[in-house]
Amino acid sequence: MKKKQITKTMLVTSMALLLGLSTACSNSNSGSGNSGSEPAKTGNTAATDAPKEIVELKAITMGNEPKSGLDNFYKELDALTEKDLGIRVRFDYIPWGDEKNQISRAIAAKEYDLYVGGAWSDFANFATKNAFADLTPLLEETPDLVEHYKGSLDRVKIDGKVFGIPQYNKPGGGGEGMLYREDLRQKWGLPEIKNLETAEQYLYKAKEEYPSTPMLNDKRFGTNIYSQLIASKYYTVAADYAVASYEDPYKIISIYDTPEYKEAVAKAKQWYDDGIVDHDVLAAQGNATAETLELMKVDQKPLEFNNHLGAVSNNYINQLKDALPDSTYGWYDFLMDNDAPAFLPRMSPSTITMISVGANTQYALQALKFIEKGHTDQTYYNLLAYGVEGENYKVDADGYILYEGIPTDNIKPAWTGLYDGYQALQVNYPGEWKAIFDNIQAEGAKRAEAGGTDPYEGFSFDTSSLATELSNLETVKTQYIQPLSVGMSNDIDGDLAKVQKQLKDAGFDTYLAELQKQVDAFKASK
C-alpha cells in the first residue's frame, strides 16, 4: 500500500462534530469501490452464488511502512477478515514525529474508521466530544474479548463509557529511559549509568567525543529530567500539570509548586548553556527519535536520551546492530533506576484503539470484532503485530521471534495499540540486549507484585468542563513553559514567577480545583 502522510493541508473541522465512519464497500472479487452498500450478511442466505459484499475500513498505525511484504500481508489478512468478518482493513502509516497533531487532524477530518492513541495523543479530549463509538453496548457481542480482559475493560471508562480497547500489559519493567553505547562507556572509563548524575557524566563525555553533534535534540528532555527527580517522591496525576506525593496520594500539587521543578529547569539551563542541548531544540518535532536513530546508525551520536524501552527494543536494536555490528548498548530506566514504585499493569486509556462514529455506525461491530480477533486469535495477532513470517520476521526452533536475515527496513511495526502481553511472542533480541530486556522485565514483575495496585487505577480526569482553561494552558505551555523547560532562561526565578502568573491568568486554579474535586470523588468511591 502506498505510504500516506497526513499533511497540514488536511481539512480541519470542529472537534465537537460527530465523526462519521468512512466506508467503502467493494465486491470481494474486485478492488472497485461501491459506497452505500448494505452491510455484509452473516449466516445462511438465499441459495445463490452472488459474491459477498465486503466492507473496507481504513486504519491508522504509527511508524514506517516496511519496504516489502505488504502485498502478502494484505493477502493473508484479507483471507482471514473476509471470511470471518466480511471486511477488509487497510492501514496508513504515520511516521513518529508530529504524531499528536497529525492524528488530531485526521480525527477532525473524519479520515479513518480505526484510530490509535496514547500518551502522545489527545485521545481523552476527543472522546469527551463524542468522536469515537461508545463500545459499551457492543461488548456483549464480543464475549471472547471481554473474557480475555477478565472484566478489566470497565476500568477504562470515560464518563461511564468504553471508547477504546487498550493494549494489555503483563507485569514487567521498562518505561522511559536513555539508550547509550555501553562499549563507549567502558572505553571512556565512566561509571555504570544508574542515576541522573552518571547519565550527565556520559552526556558531557559524549559531547567531548562528538563535538559537532548536540546530544539532546528532543524538547522532551526537560520533562524527563523532572521525571527522574520526582521518581521516588510523587505520582504523576495529570501530565504536565499536577502530581501527588506518595505520602498523601490524593492531595493534588501543581508541578510548578514543587522544588524539583526549579531543580529540573536549572539542570536544563546548565545543559543548554554548555552545548549539550541543540540551541534549535524548540524547532524540533515533538518526537525527534527518528533523527537520532539515523545519527546513531552512522556513529555520529552515541545515545538516545528520550525513548521507551519497547520502542528501542523493537525499532532500534536490530538496526543499530546491523549498522554497527561491534557496538554494544546499555539502558538507564528513568523510573526503575530511581526507585519509583512499580504496580501491577494499570488498565487505563493510555495506548488504545478507537472506532470513529457518526451517521454511519453500522460497521462499528465488525470493527470491534476485528480488534477482538487481534487480541484473542494468535494467527491474527502474529500477522498484525509482526507481519508475514519469512518476509517481516522469523521464528526460531524455540518459538522466539528473530530478525536474522530480515532487512532492517522490512521489519514491520506492530499495529499501534494492539500490543498484548498475553499474545506476544518472545523476541530473541541480538547480542547483549536480550539479557538486558529479560532482566528489566523480571525486575519489573517482581516489583509490581510487591507494589500491588496503583492508587490511581481506574481514575480518568474528565476535562469536558475545562475547554477554555485547557486551550489557555496549552498557549502558556507553548509560549512560556516549553522554553523554560529546555533551559532557555537568563533569570530562572523571574521566569518561574512569570509562568505562575500566566498559569493563574489562564485559569489554572480552576483546572486544579476540578482535578482535586474528581480525585476526592474517586477516593470516596474506593
Side-chain angles (χ1 to χ4, degrees):
M1 185 173 183
K2 185 177 179 181
K3 187 175 185 178
K4 174 181 177 184
Q5 183 167 357
I6 300 171
T7 67
K8 292 184 178 179
T9 58
M10 181 178 292
L11 174 63
V12 179
T13 60
S14 169
M15 291 187 293
L17 293 175
L18 292 176
L19 305 184
L21 183 69
S22 63
T23 58
C25 300
S26 63
N27 184 293
S28 61
N29 295 323
S30 78
S32 60
N34 180 22
S35 60
S37 300
E38 292 298 316
K41 300 293 192 292
T42 58
N44 294 326
T45 57
T48 176
D49 292 330
K52 182 169 126 180
E53 292 178 324
I54 302 297
V55 179
E56 184 167 301
L57 304 180
K58 295 174 62 181
I60 276 180
T61 189
M62 305 305 301
N64 294 314
E65 181 179 303
K67 188 173 181 180
S68 66
L70 280 186
D71 287 344
N72 285 332
F73 168 77
Y74 284 121
K75 181 179 179 181
E76 292 188 17
L77 186 63
D78 290 349
L80 294 170
T81 60
E82 290 179 15
K83 176 176 67 72
D84 295 337
L85 306 170
I87 64 173
R88 295 190 190 103
V89 180
R90 292 295 181 266
F91 292 92
D92 280 343
Y93 288 77
I94 309 302
W96 291 105
D98 191 33
E99 62 274 359
K100 181 174 181 178
N101 290 330
Q102 290 196 54
I103 291 175
S104 294
R105 287 192 290 268
I107 294 171
K110 309 178 185 179
E111 275 286 295
Y112 295 91
D113 308 307
L114 289 153
Y115 291 93
V116 295
W120 33 263
S121 76
D122 203 16
F123 158 71
N125 187 38
F126 278 110
T128 60
K129 293 178 169 63
N130 299 315
F132 311 118
D134 175 12
L135 305 181
T136 314
L138 298 181
L139 291 176
E140 294 181 359
E141 301 190 57
T142 53
D144 290 345
L145 183 66
V146 173
E147 172 61 25
H148 182 66
Y149 276 83
K150 298 178 173 59
S152 59
L153 291 175
D154 283 345
R155 289 146 55 190
V156 300
K157 287 183 175 180
I158 295 176
D159 195 24
K161 301 173 183 178
V162 175
F163 288 108
I165 305 302
Q167 66 180 24
Y168 200 9
N169 295 307
K170 277 185 174 180
E176 290 289 321
M178 170 179 157
L179 173 72
Y180 59 91
R181 287 273 300 274
E182 169 65 10
D183 57 316
L184 295 181
R185 182 193 70 81
Q186 294 183 22
K187 177 182 176 181
W188 297 337
L190 295 175
E192 187 177 2
I193 301 176
K194 285 295 181 183
N195 53 37
L196 182 59
E197 179 183 358
T198 50
E200 181 178 65
Q201 292 179 45
Y202 189 95
L203 284 168
Y204 274 81
K205 181 61 177 177
K207 177 59 180 173
E208 179 183 322
E209 297 291 331
Y210 295 78
S212 62
T213 305
M215 291 301 106
L216 302 179
N217 62 335
D218 188 317
K219 52 180 169 275
R220 295 174 300 168
F221 84 87
T223 300
N224 279 328
I225 292 175
Y226 182 71
S227 69
Q228 294 170 66
L229 294 173
I230 70 167
S232 63
K233 302 175 183 178
Y234 301 99
Y235 299 100
T236 297
V237 182
D240 298 325
Y241 296 119
V243 294
S245 73
Y246 294 149
E247 289 75 19
D248 191 0
Y250 300 113
K251 174 64 176 176
I252 299 303
I253 306 169
S254 164
I255 283 175
Y256 309 102
D257 288 337
T258 62
E260 291 79 12
Y261 184 75
K262 182 177 179 180
E263 186 180 351
V265 169
K267 182 60 66 179
K269 174 175 169 52
Q270 175 193 329
W271 291 359
Y272 185 89
D273 291 346
D274 290 346
I276 302 297
V277 180
D278 186 345
H279 281 202
D280 292 327
V281 66
L282 287 183
Q285 291 187 321
N287 182 333
T289 54
E291 177 186 344
T292 292
L293 175 58
E294 294 307 311
L295 290 171
M296 292 184 73
K297 284 162 60 176
V298 294
D299 195 19
Q300 291 185 14
K301 188 176 181 180
L303 65 96
E304 162 63 285
F305 191 76
N306 304 282
N307 217 321
H308 190 278
L309 179 69
V312 166
S313 301
N314 296 325
N315 301 328
Y316 270 56
I317 294 302
N318 284 286
Q319 296 189 54
L320 291 172
K321 287 289 191 179
D322 187 49
L324 304 170
D326 296 329
S327 60
T328 60
Y329 296 88
W331 177 258
Y332 161 48
D333 196 280
F334 294 152
L335 297 183
M336 287 185 63
D337 285 330
N338 284 292
D339 298 322
F343 301 106
L344 294 172
R346 183 175 175 181
M347 190 63 63
S348 65
S350 52
T351 303
I352 203 161
T353 307
M354 307 84 76
I355 300 168
S356 64
V357 66
N360 295 318
T361 60
Q362 66 264 43
Y363 303 120
L365 179 58
Q366 284 102 316
L368 181 58
K369 287 186 174 182
F370 177 62
I371 298 171
E372 177 184 43
K373 285 288 189 182
H375 282 283
T376 61
D377 186 309
Q378 196 68 53
T379 300
Y380 274 85
Y381 185 85
N382 288 356
L383 189 59
L384 292 167
Y386 311 118
V388 176
E389 186 175 352
E391 289 191 65
N392 305 119
Y393 74 102
K394 296 179 181 178
V395 178
D396 67 17
D398 297 319
Y400 283 85
I401 292 279
L402 77 163
Y403 295 99
E404 183 179 346
I406 302 294
T408 55
D409 59 2
N410 203 38
I411 296 175
K412 177 190 171 297
W415 180 20
T416 310
L418 176 68
Y419 178 78
D420 192 311
Y422 297 91
Q423 295 286 93
L425 303 178
Q426 288 187 287
V427 179
N428 197 357
Y429 294 112
E432 73 287 348
W433 197 256
K434 185 178 188 307
I436 290 172
F437 185 87
D438 289 348
N439 288 339
I440 291 173
Q441 298 308 305
E443 177 62 22
K446 182 174 72 174
R447 293 190 191 187
E449 292 292 346
T453 303
D454 186 337
Y456 278 90
E457 170 73 37
F459 176 73
S460 178
F461 184 26
D462 179 2
T463 60
S464 58
S465 65
L466 298 169
T468 299
E469 289 79 7
L470 286 171
S471 177
N472 293 340
L473 290 173
E474 192 67 27
T475 300
V476 174
K477 186 165 64 174
T478 301
Q479 294 183 0
Y480 297 93
I481 295 173
Q482 188 69 80
L484 188 59
S485 73
V486 300
M488 297 174 65
S489 173
N490 293 319
D491 176 11
I492 291 177
D493 288 334
D495 287 337
L496 282 172
K498 188 181 297 182
V499 163
Q500 294 280 22
K501 181 180 186 306
Q502 292 295 326
L503 287 170
K504 186 173 185 63
D505 292 346
F508 194 39
D509 290 345
T510 300
Y511 174 95
L512 291 177
E514 179 61 27
L515 176 58
Q516 184 66 68
K517 175 183 174 183
Q518 293 186 33
V519 167
D520 289 343
F522 173 73
K523 178 184 177 183
S525 71
K526 292 167 68 73

